[in-house]
Amino acid sequence: MDNISGHSGSALPSAYLASTTSSFTDFLRVQAPDLLPSARSMPGAGGAGPDIPHGTTIVASTFSGGVLIAGDRRATSGNLIASRDLEKIFVTDDYSSVGIAGTAGIAIELVRLYIVELAHYEKIEGVSLSLDGKTNKLANMVKGNLDAAMAGLAVLPLFVGYDVEARDPKRAGRIISFDVTGGRYEENAGYHAIGSGSLFAKSSLKKLHDPDADADAAVRAAVEALYDAADDDTATGGPDLVRRIYPNVVTITAEHGAVAVPEEQTSAVAEAVVQERTERARR
């Protein structure tokens, strides 16, 4: 966002110094619409090609006092592996995180713009958006990509956040999913998954999810769910012990906010899951 087309030098137009809107997306739509993800991603007349990388799979679950989101690292282009170590989980502010599935390049641009959107609102208004406000903004951004989605370049985020205004701090973790039209859905079961491996991941979480578990147990369940997804879905990457590629996980609690789980912890959990499955298969 540093280089705005059509403007050079140190002097900025007056619009850049005014606070007429708390929405950075609306500002960008007026001042530099070509930098919006929806404008930069419009396909040609032939539609989306098969070689555009797509990312899968994302899981989320609540636990006692918080919520987490985790993702595998694989991106695919048709039947080929486009990337083995793509990061699909982003901390978007102090108490929220977003995972992405769908067209990887557009999804990453959308989330980066969303991060700026949240920071811009807080600087202009002096307060952070409420959790519902955050998800409504994300829903509008997804809706803005509808034309590209209908041409085959769909982007589907999964949002998790800790609601600092919740009455019960132990149940303050929330999970919100979206459809390509900008539909916003609260996932009240305490777990959810998106992406090509979501069917298998959700089936796994249905058995493993415990709303009263601590963060460590929730991380283990998420890694197990991603392993189960990778076992049946070719587009989902399992733990790669040779290349040392492990799932990305972010936990959100009142005490620590949104923090990425260190790789040494995710690697230990992933290796334990693989070891346990290996021993089970040999029995």
Side-chain angles (χ1 to χ4, degrees), residues 259-281:
V259 292
V261 176
E263 184 177 310
E264 50 266 31
Q265 182 178 345
T266 56
S267 64
V269 172
E271 289 169 8
V273 169
V274 172
Q275 181 64 28
E276 181 181 299
R277 299 296 181 96
T278 301
E279 293 175 356
R280 188 185 307 170

Side-chain angles (χ1 to χ4, degrees), residues 15-18 20-21 23-32 120:
Y16 286 72
L17 305 176
T20 55
T21 176
S23 170
F24 185 76
T25 303
D26 290 344
F27 169 80
L28 203 61
R29 186 174 290 115
V30 174
Q31 298 299 322
H120 179 79

Side-chain angles (χ1 to χ4, degrees), residues 77-240:
S77 296
N79 65 317
L80 301 178
I81 296 176
S83 175
R84 300 181 189 275
D85 58 356
L86 180 68
E87 294 193 7
K88 311 172 192 175
I89 306 298
F90 301 83
V91 172
T92 47
D93 74 355
D94 290 343
Y95 292 101
S96 69
S97 180
V98 171
I100 56 168
T103 308
I106 303 173
I108 291 171
E109 278 208 1
L110 185 142
V111 174
R112 286 174 175 168
L113 177 58
Y114 179 62
I115 293 170
V116 176
E117 177 80 14
L118 296 184
H120 179 79
Y121 181 92
E122 184 173 352
K123 288 179 179 179
I124 296 298
E125 299 295 335
V127 295
S128 298
L129 272 168
S130 66
L131 193 142
D132 287 331
K134 295 174 188 177
T135 56
N136 287 336
K137 277 196 176 290
L138 185 54
N140 287 331
M141 294 176 70
V142 173
K143 184 178 180 180
N145 192 58
L146 182 58
D147 287 343
M150 298 305 291
L153 300 177
V155 171
L156 280 181
L158 184 61
F159 175 98
V160 298
Y162 184 90
D163 189 353
V164 295
E165 300 175 357
R167 294 182 178 179
D168 183 359
K170 290 186 177 180
R171 298 289 180 263
R174 291 171 63 185
I175 304 170
I176 310 294
S177 64
F178 307 85
D179 63 31
V180 294
T181 66
R184 172 191 176 282
Y185 309 99
E186 185 102 19
E187 302 297 340
N188 294 312
Y191 60 89
H192 193 62
I194 60 172
S196 65
S198 60
L199 174 63
F200 310 109
K202 285 179 70 176
S203 296
S204 180
L205 285 172
K206 185 182 292 187
K207 301 178 181 68
L208 298 173
H209 176 252
D210 179 3
D212 296 317
D214 61 14
D216 290 342
V219 170
R220 170 69 183 237
V223 173
E224 293 246 23
L226 289 171
Y227 185 100
D228 287 333
D231 203 31
D232 287 297
D233 174 46
T234 58
T236 303
D240 191 330

